[in-house]
Amino acid sequence: MKTKKKDIRALSKEQLRDFFVAEGDQAFRGNQVYEWLWSKGAHSFDDMTNISKQTRTMLDDNFVINHIKVDQLQRSNDGTIKNAVKLHDGLIVESVLIPTSKRTTACVSSQVGCSLDCKFCATARLKRMRNLNPDEIFDQVKAIDNESRLYFDRPLSNIVFMGMGEPLMNYNNVLKAIDKITSSEGLGMSPKRITVSTSGVPKMIKKMADEEVKFKLAVSLHSAIDEVRTSIMPFNATFPLKDLREALEYWYAKTKNRITYEYVVWKGVNDKQKDVDALVQFCKFAPSKVNLIEYNPIDDGDFQQANEEALQMYINTLEANNITVTVRRSRGKDIDAACGQLANKS
Ligand code: SAH
């Protein structure tokens, strides 16, 4: 029986070099193929024009290149672009290109669906179907880089892991993808321009700190009171705030990298002075800033954005305590491309 062909992009450069040596060829052939796969984005072995026909056929007999396909591209009237991306097994994830006057940011997915059950997030309704492979994450970024060049005449400048899924629940693949994105053979992007956003998995935050990663960390906090946080993010019962706090202190001690807390203020959930006070206390544990995110309604309407007054109370209290606070207005709402709206509707 014919064995299933392997995804060639699951191999490291070393493994590719070893493969060619084992085939009686030379190790540098591995470098050539690696360059085709990662720098030049080859979609088929036949694209590899400096590789002999015989070698290309041999590769085709052994491997596949599981490229993603942008199945549908939607453009918002604010310039935001949402890609529905089809994976080799037919599953779909979404990624978003967010343009501002100076930057293009890619918001990418790390899982198909999500295993967490945040009550306010549309992706949570999908459940987790599987993790994305490093090449599937890389391809989303590459596709957005191409679109940025095509539509905005400039390369991609920033990446946020704020699409579908919990990146720290697919840690190894996310790190491998970031390695590719930052390496000169991939996109050569500085890790300082990459932000990994997590709901807060303490053990994994510590692991990242130990590995001294260079990208930025954002934590979806939404409440600094356990009871409230557990009611909207049920996994907080397993990873309570004191564990999160300890992991974040550890992160800062190791990386000296300031943390961003993402925070939505909802009517009747976390819009009281006691909620802000708890946030101020939490911000003192490790150098950090707060990003207040506008709520993007998902279909059932259980949650409502707090009023301007509550928002202003947050801003005033945080500023009075010398905590940097920014307000992030939504982009791409009209095409369901904003934070928490990614749910493969199409
Ligand atoms: N799982 C990761 C990354 C994906 S969510 C995380 O939790 O950080 C990206 C951001 O969007 C998170 O801060 C999340 O809390 C926020 N978010 C989710 N649903 C939202 C919604 N409906 N409106 C606004 N922000 C939302």
Side-chain angles (χ1 to χ4, degrees), residues 184-290:
S184 57
E185 281 151 335
L187 292 171
M189 192 179 260
S190 161
K192 295 196 182 77
R193 294 175 172 278
I194 302 175
T195 301
V196 170
S197 174
T198 175
S199 314
V201 188
K203 195 174 76 187
M204 302 315 285
I205 293 173
K206 284 188 175 168
K207 190 170 156 74
M208 279 196 304
D210 281 334
E211 290 175 12
E212 293 178 22
V213 298
K214 297 285 182 282
F215 50 78
K216 293 186 180 158
L217 177 66
V219 175
S220 302
L221 192 61
H222 303 309
S223 175
I225 300 173
D226 269 314
E227 199 190 345
V228 178
R229 195 165 192 261
T230 300
S231 74
I232 53 177
M233 303 170 82
F235 71 90
N236 186 72
T238 319
F239 308 123
L241 288 163
K242 78 170 181 9
D243 296 356
L244 180 58
R245 164 196 172 170
E246 192 208 324
L248 294 170
E249 285 170 340
Y250 188 81
W251 160 271
Y252 187 79
K254 286 260 174 177
T255 66
K256 294 284 172 285
N257 211 334
R258 183 162 82 144
I259 302 148
T260 298
Y261 295 126
E262 297 164 273
Y263 202 104
V264 179
V265 190
W266 289 283
K267 191 175 272 179
V269 174
N270 56 355
D271 58 352
K272 301 287 178 308
Q273 187 69 48
K274 70 168 174 30
D275 297 295
V276 198
D277 294 342
L279 174 60
V280 167
Q281 285 312 310
F282 199 86
C283 286
K284 290 186 176 155
F285 298 143
S288 50
K289 64 172 182 177
V290 174

Side-chain angles (χ1 to χ4, degrees), residues 66-332:
N66 281 337
H67 238 283
I68 64 158
K69 184 169 169 289
V70 176
D71 211 34
Q72 193 192 32
L73 182 153
Q74 282 175 280
R75 292 193 78 179
S76 156
N77 48 31
D78 67 17
T80 301
I81 295 176
K82 179 165 85 171
N83 290 334
V85 166
K86 193 175 226 159
L87 309 172
H88 68 90
D89 53 4
L91 291 173
I92 293 192
V93 292
E94 294 175 332
S95 28
V96 184
L97 177 160
I98 307 151
T100 63
S101 57
K102 293 200 193 75
R103 302 180 184 183
T104 303
T105 301
C107 173
V108 297
S109 295
S110 55
Q111 298 181 310
V112 188
C114 190
S115 53
L116 302 181
D117 46 3
C118 303
K119 300 296 179 205
F120 47 82
C121 180
T123 307
R125 310 282 158 84
L126 296 175
K127 305 300 170 209
R128 191 193 76 93
M129 284 171 259
R130 71 169 172 87
N131 285 338
L132 294 185
N133 297 324
D135 46 281
E136 293 169 326
I137 298 170
F138 179 87
D139 285 354
Q140 291 176 68
V141 173
K142 183 83 183 157
I144 290 189
D145 183 44
N146 292 341
E147 288 166 5
S148 181
R149 289 166 199 270
L150 182 66
Y151 295 109
F152 301 96
D153 213 14
R154 63 190 185 200
L156 175 67
S157 59
N158 297 74
I159 302 171
V160 293
F161 280 82
M162 295 185 189
M164 295 172 154
E166 168 49 50
L168 299 195
M169 300 274 194
N170 185 18
Y171 181 82
N172 289 335
N173 290 351
V174 166
L175 255 71
K176 278 186 194 161
I178 292 177
D179 272 349
K180 290 281 190 302
I181 293 163
T182 52
S183 86
S184 57
E185 281 151 335
L187 292 171
M189 192 179 260
S190 161
K192 295 196 182 77
R193 294 175 172 278
I194 302 175
T195 301
V196 170
S197 174
T198 175
S199 314
V201 188
K203 195 174 76 187
M204 302 315 285
I205 293 173
K206 284 188 175 168
K207 190 170 156 74
M208 279 196 304
D210 281 334
E211 290 175 12
E212 293 178 22
V213 298
K214 297 285 182 282
F215 50 78
K216 293 186 180 158
L217 177 66
V219 175
S220 302
L221 192 61
H222 303 309
S223 175
I225 300 173
D226 269 314
E227 199 190 345
V228 178
R229 195 165 192 261
T230 300
S231 74
I232 53 177
M233 303 170 82
F235 71 90
N236 186 72
T238 319
F239 308 123
L241 288 163
K242 78 170 181 9
D243 296 356
L244 180 58
R245 164 196 172 170
E246 192 208 324
L248 294 170
E249 285 170 340
Y250 188 81
W251 160 271
Y252 187 79
K254 286 260 174 177
T255 66
K256 294 284 172 285
N257 211 334
R258 183 162 82 144
I259 302 148
T260 298
Y261 295 126
E262 297 164 273
Y263 202 104
V264 179
V265 190
W266 289 283
K267 191 175 272 179
V269 174
N270 56 355
D271 58 352
K272 301 287 178 308
Q273 187 69 48
K274 70 168 174 30
D275 297 295
V276 198
D277 294 342
L279 174 60
V280 167
Q281 285 312 310
F282 199 86
C283 286
K284 290 186 176 155
F285 298 143
S288 50
K289 64 172 182 177
V290 174
N291 193 351
L292 293 176
I293 311 176
E294 192 181 337
Y295 177 55
N296 303 304
I298 57 173
D299 285 341
D300 55 16
D302 281 351
F303 288 86
Q304 258 183 308
Q305 166 83 37
N307 57 29
E308 281 300 321
E309 225 172 282
L311 213 60
Q312 206 53 54
M313 170 186 71
Y314 263 90
I315 295 169
N316 294 345
T317 311
L318 289 165
E319 285 180 344
N321 284 279
N322 296 319
I323 297 162
T324 307
V325 51
T326 51
V327 180
R328 186 163 88 211
R329 301 286 169 193
S330 295
R331 304 289 306 272

